Amino acid sequence: MAEHLSQSELDYPFKLLEYFNGFRVSKMIFSACELGVFDLLLKSQDALSAQHVAQELGTSMDGMERLLDALVGIEILEVETAQGTALYSSTDVANLYLAKGSAKSLHDMIIYRSQTVYPLWNNLVDAIREGRNQYEKTFGLPSGHFFQAIYRSEEEMLKFMGIMSCHWVLDGHDVVTAFDLSRFQKVVDLGGCTGALANEMARAYPASSVTVFDLPQVVEAAQKHFKQEDSGVTFQSGDFFSDEIPGADLYVLARVIHDWPEEKCLALLKKVYETCKPGGGVLLVEALLFENRRGPIMAQIFSLNMLVQTQGRERTPSEYTHMLNKSGFCNVQVCRTGKSYDAILAVR
C-alpha cells in the first residue's frame, strides 16, 4: 500500500477509510441476499419502490430504503425516479450472481460467508495470537476436528457444500482446462463434494470417466439436494484419509491440501501416489501465493481464512512442488489462471 500513499492520501486517508468500511459493504450485500432483495427484483418485471420491497419482504420501510440506496451507491442496484418516487431495479451483475435463480448464482457463497465465515473472522485477533482456528470461541465447537464443526448439522453441511459449488461456477472450467488432461481416462475427484467440479471435468473431457469420492453423508446430500447433470459423473463414499481410495489415472484435490498442515498433506499425497496408476498424475487446485508471499491479495486473505477456519494455509508453487516431489510425484507444472484458483499438475 505504501507506494500508493500520495500526498493527498497523507492529507486525508481516503484509501484507509475505504478499507475500514469494507466489512460494512460486505454486510450490505450479505443482508440483501439473506432478505431476498435480489430474488424479488429479478422476478419483478418492473422497478420497485422501497415501500413495495419492504412490504413484500417484511421489513421496515426506513431500513429498506437506506439499504437500497446504499446498494445503488456501490452500483449493484440502479434507481430511477417516477412521479417523485424512487424505483429500484437490479443491475445485470446482481441478476447473474446475487439472485438464487441464476445459473451462476453465488447466493450460497454469500450466505455461508455471512453466517459462518463472518462470525469466525470476528475472532481473527485470537486466531493470530493462538495460531489456531476459532470454532470453539465462535460456535462452542472443538477446534481440533474442524470438519466435524463444518458438518455439525445437515443445514451447516449444505451451506458448506453450496459454497463449494459456487467456487466451481466461477473457476471450474479454467482449472480443469489449465492443462490438457484428455490422456487421463479415469479421473477421481477426492473430496469432490457436490460434483460441481467433476461435472466441469466431464464436460471438458467427455471420453474420460469421472468419479467423486467423498464422505458418505456428503455423497448422500449431494445426490439428494444438488442438481446432478447428465454428465456421467458417479459418486463413491469413503474417507480419503482412512479408507482405500479407488484406482485412477488422475486424482483431483481441489481446495483440499490447503486445509491441512504439511504432515497430513504428505500422508495424503503419498497415499495418492501409491494408488495412482503408472503414468498417472494428480491435479491440485489452490490459490497460489507468489514465491515472495507478497500477493496476490486474494490468496493472502484466503490464507488468513485458513488460520481462522481450518488447520491449513495457502502456499507458494515451490511449497507445493516440494510436497509433491517428497511424495514421489515428478514433472510438476504450475498454471496461474489469473482468477481465484490456480492449477498444479504432477505425474507419477
Side-chain angles (χ1 to χ4, degrees), residues 90-147:
S90 283
T91 60
D92 291 341
V93 167
N95 282 333
L96 184 62
Y97 292 116
L98 302 180
K100 279 184 187 177
S102 167
K104 290 193 173 184
S105 175
L106 303 180
H107 183 271
D108 288 347
M109 176 187 288
I110 290 164
I111 297 302
Y112 186 77
R113 288 188 174 172
S114 179
Q115 297 179 0
T116 301
V117 178
Y118 193 91
L120 284 163
W121 273 68
N122 282 334
N123 293 311
L124 177 61
V125 168
D126 293 305
I128 293 167
R129 283 182 178 144
E130 300 165 8
R132 62 190 178 95
N133 71 62
Q134 294 299 302
Y135 272 103
E136 186 170 358
K137 187 161 293 182
T138 308
F139 299 114
L141 299 163
S143 59
H145 303 282
F146 62 91
F147 265 102

Side-chain angles (χ1 to χ4, degrees), residues 19-191:
Y19 292 159
F20 296 167
N21 278 306
F23 78 96
R24 292 188 174 105
V25 174
S26 296
K27 260 304 186 183
M28 284 160 42
I29 299 170
F30 294 168
S31 299
C33 276
E34 290 185 66
L35 289 167
V37 170
F38 303 113
D39 302 317
L40 178 62
L41 292 176
L42 177 62
K43 290 174 185 175
S44 175
Q45 298 296 313
D46 303 308
L48 303 178
S49 67
Q51 182 175 5
H52 184 108
V53 175
Q55 287 175 343
E56 288 289 325
L57 301 179
T59 74
S60 70
M61 158 65 180
D62 179 44
M64 182 54 69
E65 185 173 49
R66 296 187 200 201
L67 177 60
L68 295 174
D69 284 340
L71 293 169
V72 171
I74 60 172
E75 300 181 340
I76 285 180
L77 296 185
E78 296 173 339
V79 65
E80 57 187 80
T81 303
Q83 299 178 340
T85 299
L87 300 174
Y88 301 88
S89 59
S90 283
T91 60
D92 291 341
V93 167
N95 282 333
L96 184 62
Y97 292 116
L98 302 180
K100 279 184 187 177
S102 167
K104 290 193 173 184
S105 175
L106 303 180
H107 183 271
D108 288 347
M109 176 187 288
I110 290 164
I111 297 302
Y112 186 77
R113 288 188 174 172
S114 179
Q115 297 179 0
T116 301
V117 178
Y118 193 91
L120 284 163
W121 273 68
N122 282 334
N123 293 311
L124 177 61
V125 168
D126 293 305
I128 293 167
R129 283 182 178 144
E130 300 165 8
R132 62 190 178 95
N133 71 62
Q134 294 299 302
Y135 272 103
E136 186 170 358
K137 187 161 293 182
T138 308
F139 299 114
L141 299 163
S143 59
H145 303 282
F146 62 91
F147 265 102
Q148 290 181 16
I150 290 172
Y151 294 159
R152 62 190 180 273
S153 68
E154 184 178 46
E155 180 184 3
E156 289 301 315
M157 182 174 68
L158 290 175
K159 285 182 192 175
F160 179 77
M161 295 175 71
I163 193 175
M164 294 299 287
S165 281
C166 287
H167 286 303
W168 308 132
V169 165
L170 291 178
D171 295 287
H173 177 77
D174 292 294
V175 296
V176 301
T177 58
F179 306 101
D180 181 2
L181 305 176
S182 59
R183 69 183 185 276
F184 301 111
Q185 293 300 299
K186 186 174 183 180
V187 180
V188 172
D189 186 357
L190 297 172

Side-chain angles (χ1 to χ4, degrees), residues 77 82 94-95 103 117 162 164 184 191-192 252 256 286 292 309 315 317-318 322 324:
L77 296 185
N95 282 333
V117 178
M164 294 299 287
F184 301 111
V252 179
V256 170
E286 300 287 0
N292 64 7
Q309 197 170 3
R315 297 177 172 90
S318 63
H322 169 75
L324 287 163

Side-chain angles (χ1 to χ4, degrees), residues 289-295 316-319 336:
L289 290 164
F290 294 147
E291 288 296 345
N292 64 7
R293 315 188 78 82
R294 298 295 177 262
T316 65
S318 63
E319 288 174 313
R336 291 188 180 272

Side-chain angles (χ1 to χ4, degrees), residues 226-287:
F226 292 87
K227 182 180 178 181
Q228 298 302 321
E229 300 178 19
D230 187 20
S231 60
V233 170
T234 60
F235 286 80
Q236 185 172 336
S237 298
D239 182 326
F240 52 60
F241 281 119
S242 59
D243 295 334
E244 182 179 342
I245 59 176
D249 301 304
L250 178 71
Y251 292 94
V252 179
L253 287 164
R255 300 185 78 247
V256 170
I257 297 299
H258 75 163
D259 287 334
W260 307 101
E262 183 170 334
E263 60 272 18
K264 201 152 187 176
C265 296
L266 285 171
L268 178 57
L269 288 171
K270 286 176 181 177
K271 184 175 185 178
V272 169
Y273 177 81
E274 290 165 1
T275 312
C276 188
K277 295 178 180 179
V282 61
L283 178 73
L284 306 185
V285 180
E286 300 287 0

